[in-house]
PDB file of all heavy atoms in Angstrom:
ATOM      1  N   MET A1175      80.904  93.222  70.374  1.00 89.00           N
ATOM      2  CA  MET A1175      79.800  93.989  70.953  1.00 89.00           C
ATOM      3  C   MET A1175      79.510  95.244  70.137  1.00 89.00           C
ATOM      4  O   MET A1175      78.358  95.566  69.835  1.00 89.00           O
ATOM      5  CB  MET A1175      80.140  94.383  72.394  1.00 89.00           C
ATOM      6  CG  MET A1175      79.090  95.267  73.064  1.00 89.00           C
ATOM      7  SD  MET A1175      79.692  96.016  74.599  1.00 89.00           S
ATOM      8  CE  MET A1175      80.824  97.273  73.947  1.00 89.00           C
ATOM      9  N   ARG A1178      77.899  94.384  66.884  1.00 87.00           N
ATOM     10  CA  ARG A1178      76.482  94.089  67.102  1.00 87.00           C
ATOM     11  C   ARG A1178      75.672  95.365  67.292  1.00 87.00           C
ATOM     12  O   ARG A1178      74.592  95.536  66.709  1.00 87.00           O
ATOM     13  CB  ARG A1178      76.308  93.179  68.326  1.00 87.00           C
ATOM     14  CG  ARG A1178      74.875  93.065  68.823  1.00 87.00           C
ATOM     15  CD  ARG A1178      74.764  92.205  70.051  1.00 87.00           C
ATOM     16  NE  ARG A1178      75.569  92.661  71.170  1.00 87.00           N
ATOM     17  CZ  ARG A1178      75.234  93.679  71.970  1.00 87.00           C
ATOM     18  NH1 ARG A1178      74.136  94.392  71.732  1.00 87.00           N
ATOM     19  NH2 ARG A1178      76.010  94.012  72.980  1.00 87.00           N
ATOM     20  N   MET A1179      76.201  96.276  68.104  1.00 83.00           N
ATOM     21  CA  MET A1179      75.498  97.519  68.372  1.00 83.00           C
ATOM     22  C   MET A1179      75.357  98.370  67.117  1.00 83.00           C
ATOM     23  O   MET A1179      74.373  99.105  66.960  1.00 83.00           O
ATOM     24  CB  MET A1179      76.239  98.307  69.461  1.00 83.00           C
ATOM     25  CG  MET A1179      76.159  97.680  70.837  1.00 83.00           C
ATOM     26  SD  MET A1179      77.312  98.461  71.999  1.00 83.00           S
ATOM     27  CE  MET A1179      76.791 100.165  71.890  1.00 83.00           C
ATOM     28  N   SER A1185      70.086  96.056  71.001  1.00 69.00           N
ATOM     29  CA  SER A1185      70.131  94.614  71.274  1.00 69.00           C
ATOM     30  C   SER A1185      70.930  94.318  72.540  1.00 69.00           C
ATOM     31  O   SER A1185      71.780  95.101  72.965  1.00 69.00           O
ATOM     32  CB  SER A1185      70.756  93.878  70.079  1.00 69.00           C
ATOM     33  OG  SER A1185      72.066  94.348  69.834  1.00 69.00           O
ATOM     34  N   ASN A1186      70.634  93.160  73.145  1.00 74.00           N
ATOM     35  CA  ASN A1186      71.319  92.738  74.369  1.00 74.00           C
ATOM     36  C   ASN A1186      72.556  91.909  74.051  1.00 74.00           C
ATOM     37  O   ASN A1186      72.778  91.496  72.903  1.00 74.00           O
ATOM     38  CB  ASN A1186      70.368  91.913  75.243  1.00 74.00           C
ATOM     39  CG  ASN A1186      69.244  92.752  75.815  1.00 74.00           C
ATOM     40  OD1 ASN A1186      69.438  93.932  76.131  1.00 74.00           O
ATOM     41  ND2 ASN A1186      68.078  92.156  75.946  1.00 74.00           N
ATOM     42  N   ARG A1187      73.346  91.662  75.063  1.00 75.00           N
ATOM     43  CA  ARG A1187      74.556  90.866  74.907  1.00 75.00           C
ATOM     44  C   ARG A1187      74.209  89.489  74.356  1.00 75.00           C
ATOM     45  O   ARG A1187      73.270  88.844  74.810  1.00 75.00           O
ATOM     46  CB  ARG A1187      75.257  90.740  76.265  1.00 75.00           C
ATOM     47  CG  ARG A1187      76.554  89.958  76.222  1.00 75.00           C
ATOM     48  CD  ARG A1187      77.244  89.960  77.579  1.00 75.00           C
ATOM     49  NE  ARG A1187      77.724  91.284  77.906  1.00 75.00           N
ATOM     50  CZ  ARG A1187      77.349  91.974  78.973  1.00 75.00           C
ATOM     51  NH1 ARG A1187      76.466  91.467  79.801  1.00 75.00           N
ATOM     52  NH2 ARG A1187      77.836  93.174  79.211  1.00 75.00           N
ATOM     53  N   SER A1256      76.476 106.167  74.376  1.00 84.00           N
ATOM     54  CA  SER A1256      76.507 104.717  74.580  1.00 84.00           C
ATOM     55  C   SER A1256      77.119 104.372  75.935  1.00 84.00           C
ATOM     56  O   SER A1256      78.318 104.583  76.158  1.00 84.00           O
ATOM     57  CB  SER A1256      77.316 104.053  73.458  1.00 84.00           C
ATOM     58  OG  SER A1256      77.535 102.689  73.740  1.00 84.00           O
ATOM     59  N   ASP A1257      76.301 103.837  76.830  1.00 84.00           N
ATOM     60  CA  ASP A1257      76.807 103.397  78.137  1.00 84.00           C
ATOM     61  C   ASP A1257      77.812 102.254  77.981  1.00 84.00           C
ATOM     62  O   ASP A1257      78.762 102.141  78.762  1.00 84.00           O
ATOM     63  CB  ASP A1257      75.645 102.939  79.022  1.00 84.00           C
ATOM     64  CG  ASP A1257      74.780 104.105  79.489  1.00 84.00           C
ATOM     65  OD1 ASP A1257      75.273 105.248  79.456  1.00 84.00           O
ATOM     66  OD2 ASP A1257      73.619 103.871  79.853  1.00 84.00           O
ATOM     67  N   ALA A1258      77.589 101.395  76.975  1.00 82.00           N
ATOM     68  CA  ALA A1258      78.468 100.244  76.779  1.00 82.00           C
ATOM     69  C   ALA A1258      79.883 100.679  76.417  1.00 82.00           C
ATOM     70  O   ALA A1258      80.861 100.163  76.967  1.00 82.00           O
ATOM     71  CB  ALA A1258      77.897  99.337  75.688  1.00 82.00           C
ATOM     72  N   ILE A1259      80.003 101.615  75.494  1.00 86.00           N
ATOM     73  CA  ILE A1259      81.322 102.079  75.070  1.00 86.00           C
ATOM     74  C   ILE A1259      82.003 102.870  76.182  1.00 86.00           C
ATOM     75  O   ILE A1259      83.207 102.743  76.418  1.00 86.00           O
ATOM     76  CB  ILE A1259      81.206 102.919  73.787  1.00 86.00           C
ATOM     77  CG1 ILE A1259      80.718 102.036  72.634  1.00 86.00           C
ATOM     78  CG2 ILE A1259      82.559 103.550  73.421  1.00 86.00           C
ATOM     79  CD1 ILE A1259      80.428 102.786  71.346  1.00 86.00           C
ATOM     80  N   LEU A1260      81.221 103.673  76.902  1.00 86.00           N
ATOM     81  CA  LEU A1260      81.787 104.427  78.029  1.00 86.00           C
ATOM     82  C   LEU A1260      82.247 103.488  79.137  1.00 86.00           C
ATOM     83  O   LEU A1260      83.287 103.725  79.764  1.00 86.00           O
ATOM     84  CB  LEU A1260      80.753 105.421  78.565  1.00 86.00           C
ATOM     85  CG  LEU A1260      80.455 106.613  77.654  1.00 86.00           C
ATOM     86  CD1 LEU A1260      79.270 107.423  78.205  1.00 86.00           C
ATOM     87  CD2 LEU A1260      81.672 107.522  77.518  1.00 86.00           C
ATOM     88  N   ALA A1261      81.492 102.411  79.374  1.00 84.00           N
ATOM     89  CA  ALA A1261      81.895 101.435  80.387  1.00 84.00           C
ATOM     90  C   ALA A1261      83.180 100.726  79.982  1.00 84.00           C
ATOM     91  O   ALA A1261      84.044 100.454  80.820  1.00 84.00           O
ATOM     92  CB  ALA A1261      80.780 100.412  80.604  1.00 84.00           C
ATOM     93  N   ASP A1262      83.319 100.438  78.684  1.00 85.00           N
ATOM     94  CA  ASP A1262      84.555  99.816  78.198  1.00 85.00           C
ATOM     95  C   ASP A1262      85.739 100.746  78.406  1.00 85.00           C
ATOM     96  O   ASP A1262      86.829 100.312  78.785  1.00 85.00           O
ATOM     97  CB  ASP A1262      84.409  99.475  76.715  1.00 85.00           C
ATOM     98  CG  ASP A1262      85.689  98.908  76.126  1.00 85.00           C
ATOM     99  OD1 ASP A1262      86.279  98.002  76.739  1.00 85.00           O
ATOM    100  OD2 ASP A1262      86.106  99.382  75.053  1.00 85.00           O
ATOM    101  N   CYS A1265      86.642 100.568  82.033  1.00 80.00           N
ATOM    102  CA  CYS A1265      87.312  99.307  82.362  1.00 80.00           C
ATOM    103  C   CYS A1265      88.743  99.260  81.832  1.00 80.00           C
ATOM    104  O   CYS A1265      89.584  98.554  82.380  1.00 80.00           O
ATOM    105  CB  CYS A1265      86.499  98.130  81.808  1.00 80.00           C
ATOM    106  SG  CYS A1265      84.952  97.834  82.686  1.00 80.00           S
ATOM    107  N   GLU A1309      84.669  90.526  87.707  1.00 87.00           N
ATOM    108  CA  GLU A1309      83.830  91.418  86.921  1.00 87.00           C
ATOM    109  C   GLU A1309      83.344  90.736  85.642  1.00 87.00           C
ATOM    110  O   GLU A1309      82.188  90.909  85.230  1.00 87.00           O
ATOM    111  CB  GLU A1309      84.617  92.682  86.570  1.00 87.00           C
ATOM    112  CG  GLU A1309      83.844  93.710  85.765  1.00 87.00           C
ATOM    113  CD  GLU A1309      82.783  94.429  86.577  1.00 87.00           C
ATOM    114  OE1 GLU A1309      82.836  94.380  87.814  1.00 87.00           O
ATOM    115  OE2 GLU A1309      81.894  95.036  85.965  1.00 87.00           O
ATOM    116  N   LYS A1313      79.441  90.216  84.562  1.00 81.00           N
ATOM    117  CA  LYS A1313      78.914  90.726  83.291  1.00 81.00           C
ATOM    118  C   LYS A1313      78.252  89.613  82.490  1.00 81.00           C
ATOM    119  O   LYS A1313      77.221  89.825  81.853  1.00 81.00           O
ATOM    120  CB  LYS A1313      80.045  91.337  82.461  1.00 81.00           C
ATOM    121  CG  LYS A1313      80.520  92.688  82.916  1.00 81.00           C
ATOM    122  CD  LYS A1313      81.619  93.164  81.963  1.00 81.00           C
ATOM    123  CE  LYS A1313      82.147  94.525  82.365  1.00 81.00           C
ATOM    124  NZ  LYS A1313      83.222  94.969  81.443  1.00 81.00           N
ATOM    125  N   SER A1316      74.660  88.959  83.318  1.00 73.00           N
ATOM    126  CA  SER A1316      73.701  90.049  83.206  1.00 73.00           C
ATOM    127  C   SER A1316      73.889  90.793  81.903  1.00 73.00           C
ATOM    128  O   SER A1316      74.973  90.848  81.343  1.00 73.00           O
ATOM    129  CB  SER A1316      73.882  91.026  84.384  1.00 73.00           C
ATOM    130  OG  SER A1316      73.102  92.184  84.203  1.00 73.00           O
ATOM    131  N   ASN A1317      72.798  91.380  81.402  1.00 61.00           N
ATOM    132  CA  ASN A1317      72.855  92.209  80.206  1.00 61.00           C
ATOM    133  C   ASN A1317      73.183  93.663  80.544  1.00 61.00           C
ATOM    134  O   ASN A1317      73.323  94.499  79.660  1.00 61.00           O
ATOM    135  CB  ASN A1317      71.522  92.180  79.449  1.00 61.00           C
ATOM    136  CG  ASN A1317      71.350  90.882  78.691  1.00 61.00           C
ATOM    137  OD1 ASN A1317      72.301  90.356  78.129  1.00 61.00           O
ATOM    138  ND2 ASN A1317      70.128  90.380  78.672  1.00 61.00           N
ATOM    139  N   LYS A1318      73.292  93.965  81.830  1.00 55.00           N
ATOM    140  CA  LYS A1318      73.570  95.330  82.235  1.00 55.00           C
ATOM    141  C   LYS A1318      75.013  95.703  81.918  1.00 55.00           C
ATOM    142  O   LYS A1318      75.920  94.894  82.074  1.00 55.00           O
ATOM    143  CB  LYS A1318      73.330  95.512  83.742  1.00 55.00           C
ATOM    144  CG  LYS A1318      71.862  95.345  84.136  1.00 55.00           C
ATOM    145  CD  LYS A1318      71.696  95.558  85.636  1.00 55.00           C
ATOM    146  CE  LYS A1318      70.242  95.406  86.043  1.00 55.00           C
ATOM    147  NZ  LYS A1318      70.070  95.592  87.515  1.00 55.00           N
ATOM    148  N   VAL A1319      75.201  96.932  81.476  1.00 52.00           N
ATOM    149  CA  VAL A1319      76.539  97.435  81.199  1.00 52.00           C
ATOM    150  C   VAL A1319      77.082  98.026  82.478  1.00 52.00           C
ATOM    151  O   VAL A1319      76.506  98.935  83.059  1.00 52.00           O
ATOM    152  CB  VAL A1319      76.497  98.523  80.100  1.00 52.00           C
ATOM    153  CG1 VAL A1319      77.889  99.081  79.868  1.00 52.00           C
ATOM    154  CG2 VAL A1319      75.927  97.953  78.823  1.00 52.00           C
ATOM    155  N   ARG A1320      78.226  97.502  82.932  1.00 50.00           N
ATOM    156  CA  ARG A1320      78.762  97.975  84.210  1.00 50.00           C
ATOM    157  C   ARG A1320      80.266  97.765  84.258  1.00 50.00           C
ATOM    158  O   ARG A1320      80.816  96.947  83.542  1.00 50.00           O
ATOM    159  CB  ARG A1320      78.093  97.229  85.384  1.00 50.00           C
ATOM    160  CG  ARG A1320      78.186  95.735  85.259  1.00 50.00           C
ATOM    161  CD  ARG A1320      77.332  95.009  86.256  1.00 50.00           C
ATOM    162  NE  ARG A1320      77.860  95.201  87.597  1.00 50.00           N
ATOM    163  CZ  ARG A1320      77.366  94.576  88.654  1.00 50.00           C
ATOM    164  NH1 ARG A1320      76.355  93.741  88.532  1.00 50.00           N
ATOM    165  NH2 ARG A1320      77.883  94.778  89.848  1.00 50.00           N
ATOM    166  N   CYS A1321      80.886  98.476  85.124  1.00 51.00           N
ATOM    167  CA  CYS A1321      82.307  98.286  85.398  1.00 51.00           C
ATOM    168  C   CYS A1321      82.526  98.700  86.847  1.00 51.00           C
ATOM    169  O   CYS A1321      83.005  99.781  87.142  1.00 51.00           O
ATOM    170  CB  CYS A1321      83.177  99.116  84.444  1.00 51.00           C
ATOM    171  SG  CYS A1321      84.934  98.718  84.601  1.00 51.00           S
ATOM    172  N   ASP A1322      82.126  97.827  87.779  1.00 43.00           N
ATOM    173  CA  ASP A1322      82.083  98.190  89.189  1.00 43.00           C
ATOM    174  C   ASP A1322      83.425  98.568  89.760  1.00 43.00           C
ATOM    175  O   ASP A1322      83.529  99.428  90.630  1.00 43.00           O
ATOM    176  CB  ASP A1322      81.512  97.012  90.003  1.00 43.00           C
ATOM    177  CG  ASP A1322      80.052  96.757  89.676  1.00 43.00           C
ATOM    178  OD1 ASP A1322      79.427  97.667  89.125  1.00 43.00           O
ATOM    179  OD2 ASP A1322      79.558  95.657  89.971  1.00 43.00           O
TER     180      ASP A1322
END
Side-chain angles (χ1 to χ4, degrees):
M1175 176 193 73
R1178 167 182 58 78
M1179 290 169 56
S1185 59
N1186 292 326
R1187 181 176 292 120
S1256 171
D1257 289 340
I1259 295 174
L1260 289 172
D1262 176 48
C1265 289
E1309 181 72 17
K1313 284 181 180 179
S1316 172
N1317 284 321
K1318 294 181 180 179
V1319 177
R1320 54 190 292 186
C1321 188
D1322 293 342

